[in-house]
Amino acid sequence: MQTFPGQKSAALLLATALTLSVAACGGAEPAEPGPGGAAPVTITVACQPAKSAPKERAAWDDDIAAFMKAHPGVTVRSTDQQPCFDPKTFGPKLAGGQMETAFVVPVTNYADVIGKGQALDVSPYTGLIRNWNDLRADVRELVTKDGKVYGVPNVHYSVGLVYNRKLFTQAGLDPDKPPATWAEIREAAKKIAGLGPGYVGYGEYSGGNTGGWHFTQALYGRGGAVLTDDGKKAAFNSPEGRAVLQTLHDMRWTDDSMGSRLLVGWESLMMAMGSGKVGMMLGAPDVVTDVVNKFKGNVADYGITGFPEAKASLSGGEAFMINPKATPEQAKAALQWLDFRYNTVGKGRFDFARGKTLGNPVGVPDNDVYGASPTGKAIQADREKNATLPVANYAPYVAAASSVPPKAEPAHAQELYAILDVVMSGVLSRREADPGKLLADAEAKANALLAAKG
């Protein structure tokens, strides 16, 4: 999941209240004792789909019912909250002990949650994730500290170039040969913008932390870094950082290929892509899913290719962690649920046949936690078998992504993105903006932030 900065999925996420409800299939009555007379156990789990998505919610409830039938003695209660991660309430909820037994944590928060002892060491239980060893080693490493495992990776993504194949054709460009360099992106953007009023060749964010997030994506692609290796100083005031801003400045003011509206917040650019008048943007494959599902884009119009000239790609994602207050029995039940719903080929989130019957877009390569392992290959084969989208449109991304090194978001990502929003807004709103000065001002603010963080 375009994932909002520091968030996913497919997916991630905004909510304002916590309301625990028993899943329709879970029933109000406690479970009967388990096999051998074991005491019944109740767990709470995050991410029940919203009531506004009744088909997906019903599928979730069906999964809860199937899981409980297969695990006598376990009662599963769902958090009726979507999206299931809210950066505004996550901290207070965690500190107040209100988290579910199994809850979602974005990659930017792993170190903080683990460091504060707010996630259970699940090392004794990883065998309950039957495909655990097929999960990518580098993704598993992100939830590991001092040899102990604190989560189950759920989503992993890297950045590519999302583009509108229909607009490419209208502009006389070959949609099967998308841009591979920034120079080619610039030329393609000019031709798309030349289609007429309202057409935008290349879309970009300028605020709501999304501007800084996309600056980081472009910076990583050019080989730059947001912070020094020790994390104590800003590193984005660099030749790579200036190249990012100069390219955007020239596209905006010399080429007039980026439109005149400043796009603030995740929804703004996604809505623009869904309108069918934006040619290209940086993003993960789940951009296509969201543009089609949430913003009425035509599924046949979109493709995704590799990150242009990429020396690295910003990667992000999320994991499920277990509440440290969980009993061993609750922890085991929660891991079994995560195995069933999120890590079994053909079941739960990987039940592509069911997704197809629900009318969901199936076929986007939007999750790479299993990579090219046997499990990963089986998931991809089933995805292609049940695809409702043109899988060939995403082949360039799949081919390129495997060779581009992933690079994690910086520490204190959200606060740094807010600082870098000013840089992006400046270069996109003022013709006379000086990229060097914008970066120098941001560098001073970032260094003050880092010093305060210690």
Side-chain angles (χ1 to χ4, degrees), residues 58-83:
W60 169 280
D61 290 346
D62 287 345
D63 285 344
I64 296 252
F67 175 79
M68 289 177 60
K69 183 177 180 180
H71 297 82
V74 177
T75 297
V76 181
R77 301 182 188 272
S78 305
T79 300
D80 188 6
Q81 172 183 305
Q82 274 290 337

Side-chain angles (χ1 to χ4, degrees), residues 189-190 192-194 196-206 248-263 269 272 277-280 424-425 427-431:
K190 285 192 286 188
I192 292 167
Y199 285 91
V200 174
Y202 182 80
E204 191 51 277
Y205 290 113
S206 64
L248 293 176
H249 179 277
D250 292 346
M251 292 175 73
R252 169 71 178 92
W253 300 107
T254 302
D255 303 343
D256 193 23
S257 63
M258 295 186 68
S260 58
R261 288 182 56 232
L262 287 179
L263 299 173
L269 183 49
K277 288 195 170 185
V278 175
M280 296 171 284
M424 293 289 277
S425 177
V427 81
L428 295 175
S429 65
R430 294 186 282 118
R431 181 187 295 271

Side-chain angles (χ1 to χ4, degrees), residues 141-213:
E141 184 62 29
L142 294 174
V143 294
T144 303
K145 182 179 181 182
D146 300 329
K148 297 179 179 180
V149 178
Y150 291 91
V152 180
N154 186 50
V155 171
H156 177 81
Y157 70 88
S158 58
V159 173
L161 182 74
V162 181
Y163 66 105
N164 188 310
R165 294 172 56 88
K166 181 178 179 180
L167 292 185
F168 266 58
T169 300
Q170 291 177 0
L173 300 162
D174 186 348
D176 293 326
K177 295 181 180 179
T181 68
W182 281 102
E184 291 175 0
I185 287 175
R186 188 172 172 182
E187 288 304 310
K190 285 192 286 188
K191 291 181 179 179
I192 292 167
L195 290 173
Y199 285 91
V200 174
Y202 182 80
E204 191 51 277
Y205 290 113
S206 64
N209 286 22
T210 52
W213 176 44

